[in-house]
DNA sequence: AGAGGTTCTCGGGCGC
DNA sequence: TGCGCCCGAGAACCTC
């Protein structure tokens, strides 16, 4: 589900719901979600009595900050957070519940159970996995055309898998990588190292523009995504490529095609995005 | 029935 | 031979 625009939208809505709430206890129904520390008991004991001070984001990761700790949370495909009254019923896909002292609770629900949580002492979170090796944020001053060129010129991969690599830059997933490549007019199977300076400049701009516009629209709801307040996104209405196979290209009218690239479903316009030329 | 918005681990291939 | 890097495939899980 969530790529950078969806995670940023979850962050914005979540912080309003949980800031200043004190954790009284935690119930973990699916311990495999908790990756650090190894023992779930230690995870629970550490957070008992802590108060949430902020919610941050790094790439597609949420970071829930308490007085002492940083809880690094990845939603993977279908993870979602919501605030509930403790008496409200919950279903079998609810795997972690943070019980607050005011009678409300933050619930983590994840149908596919792919999501992860890592708990670190504040300040340690960027020195350890999974945040340790991440590339620059797409809206940061570190993400320049020159940087992108230096990374893409050194790899033998196709451009799509290279852009999905979170050590090159963070934030792109299967939806937005197809959108950025469409907007830049670049075929997803082009060798990353074969892009011209002009193509890299265009791609650099389209990555930032696509993600930025999607954040403004609250992300894309394809199947199941909702933010922490249960609201869907609106950027799915603006998509040029993702999920539009068989439909007319919004730029040239050619029917869009779908293929597999690096094992991922890939949507593109055979006319606007050519392999040669 | 197979694909789905993600990313970690594993092993093969290659170069020093 | 051994090591390290790079890259692609498979796995983790459930729903439709």
């Amino acid at each position: 589900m969530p790529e950078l625009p969806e995670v940023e939208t979850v962050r914005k809505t979540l912080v309003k719901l949980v800031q200043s709430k004190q954790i009284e206890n935690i119930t973990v129904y699916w311990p495999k979600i908790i990756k650090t520390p190894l023992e779930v008991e230690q995870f629970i004991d550490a957070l008992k009595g802590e108060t949430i001070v902020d919610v941050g984001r790094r790439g597609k990761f949420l970071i829930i900050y308490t007085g002492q700790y940083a809880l690094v949370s990845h939603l993977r495909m279908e993870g979602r957070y919501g605030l509930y009254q403790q008496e409200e019923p919950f279903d079998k896909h609810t795997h972690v519940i943070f019980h607050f002292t005011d009678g409300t609770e933050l619930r983590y629900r994840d149908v596919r159970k792919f999501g992860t949580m890592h708990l670190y002492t504040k300040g340690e979170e960027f020195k350890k996995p999974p945040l340790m090796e991440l590339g620059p944020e797409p809206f940061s001053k570190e993400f320049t055309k020159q940087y992108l060129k230096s990374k893409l010129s050194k790899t033998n991969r196709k451009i799509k898998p290279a852009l999905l690599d979170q050590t090159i830059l963070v934030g792109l997933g299967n939806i937005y990588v197809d959108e950025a490549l469409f907007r830049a007019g670049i075929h997803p199977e082009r060798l990353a190292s074969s892009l011209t300076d002009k193509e890299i400049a265009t791609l650099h701009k389209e990555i930032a523009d696509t993600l930025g516009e999607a954040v403004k629209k609250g992300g894309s709801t394809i199947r199941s995504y909702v933010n922490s307040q249960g609201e869907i996104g609106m950027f799915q209405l603006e998509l040029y490529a993702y999920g539009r196979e068989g439909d007319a290209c919004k730029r040239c009218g050619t029917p869009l095609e779908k293929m597999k690239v690096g094992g991922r479903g890939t949507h593109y316009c055979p006319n606007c995005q050519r392999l040669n030329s």
Side-chain angles (χ1 to χ4, degrees):
Chain A
M1 163 177 70
E3 305 177 34
L4 186 149
E6 290 75 32
V7 178
E8 176 60 17
T9 306
V10 169
R11 186 198 68 73
K12 284 190 214 164
T13 50
L14 187 57
V15 67
K16 287 190 237 173
L17 297 179
V18 300
Q19 199 161 45
S20 304
K21 301 250 184 188
Q22 186 180 18
I23 299 168
E24 184 169 281
N25 206 348
I26 302 172
T27 313
V28 178
Y29 297 98
W30 189 256
K32 287 174 82 174
I33 303 269
I34 315 295
K35 302 297 183 187
T36 308
L38 264 39
E39 292 300 324
V40 171
E41 285 311 313
Q42 292 177 29
F43 175 89
I44 295 170
D45 289 346
L47 287 172
K48 266 190 200 175
E50 288 286 302
T51 297
I52 296 177
V53 297
D54 200 8
V55 181
R57 179 189 60 75
R58 176 76 174 95
K60 303 175 190 173
F61 293 86
L62 288 168
I63 313 178
I64 299 174
Y65 289 104
T66 69
Q68 284 186 258
Y69 296 100
L71 173 55
V72 180
S73 170
H74 200 301
L75 307 172
R76 293 290 181 102
M77 302 290 266
E78 308 225 25
R80 49 172 92 171
Y81 282 102
L83 187 74
Y84 300 84
Q85 298 296 324
Q86 61 187 18
E87 56 270 18
E88 291 180 73
F90 57 90
D91 71 3
K92 62 175 179 176
H93 301 303
T94 299
H95 306 306
V96 183
I97 299 182
F98 301 81
H99 310 273
F100 297 124
T101 53
D102 66 356
T104 64
E105 49 192 43
L106 177 65
R107 297 178 185 168
Y108 177 74
R109 183 172 178 275
D110 185 345
V111 168
R112 292 179 70 179
K113 297 177 174 168
F114 281 4
T116 60
M117 294 184 193
H118 293 76
L119 185 67
Y120 292 113
T121 303
K122 241 196 265 188
E124 295 297 300
E125 70 271 26
F126 296 112
K127 304 176 191 168
K128 306 269 179 62
L131 302 185
M132 192 173 46
E133 314 240 274
L134 294 180
E137 292 285 329
F139 308 132
S140 71
K141 60 183 190 309
E142 288 76 32
F143 181 58
T144 61
K145 295 190 290 275
Q146 293 72 22
Y147 168 84
L148 186 61
K149 179 182 176 180
S150 75
K151 285 296 192 183
L152 296 182
S153 63
K154 287 194 201 85
T155 181
N156 288 315
R157 305 154 88 185
K158 294 167 181 171
I159 185 63
K160 172 161 176 172
L163 293 177
L164 287 172
D165 181 344
Q166 304 292 298
T167 70
I168 292 183
L169 90 142
V170 298
L172 289 176
N174 208 37
I175 297 175
Y176 298 106
V177 74
D178 281 3
E179 292 303 304
L181 286 170
F182 172 89
R183 291 181 180 211
I186 296 170
H187 192 287
E189 292 191 296
R190 285 277 302 282
L191 240 33
S193 56
S194 77
L195 299 205
T196 64
D197 285 4
K198 190 178 170 190
E199 286 174 321
I200 289 176
T202 306
L203 181 58
H204 176 266
K205 175 185 186 301
E206 296 298 348
I207 288 171
D209 286 0
T210 302
L211 292 171
E213 291 167 30
V215 168
K216 285 191 184 142
K217 296 275 183 175
S220 302
T221 296
I222 303 298
R223 227 174 70 238
S224 64
Y225 163 74
V226 290
N227 68 28
S228 305
Q229 319 217 74
E231 301 156 336
I232 64 169
M234 290 307 288
F235 194 73
Q236 65 279 7
L237 302 174
E238 319 282 326
L239 298 176
Y240 286 96
Y242 188 90
R244 299 195 68 249
E245 63 270 27
D247 292 352
C249 173
K250 292 180 181 178
R251 293 209 170 137
C252 76
T254 304
L256 298 186
E257 294 182 4
K258 183 174 180 181
M259 66 191 300
K260 285 263 188 212
V261 179
R264 311 297 300 278
T266 298
H267 316 73
Y268 70 105
C269 173
N271 181 46
C272 298
Q273 298 165 271
R274 292 171 182 267
L275 248 191
N276 42 9
S277 90

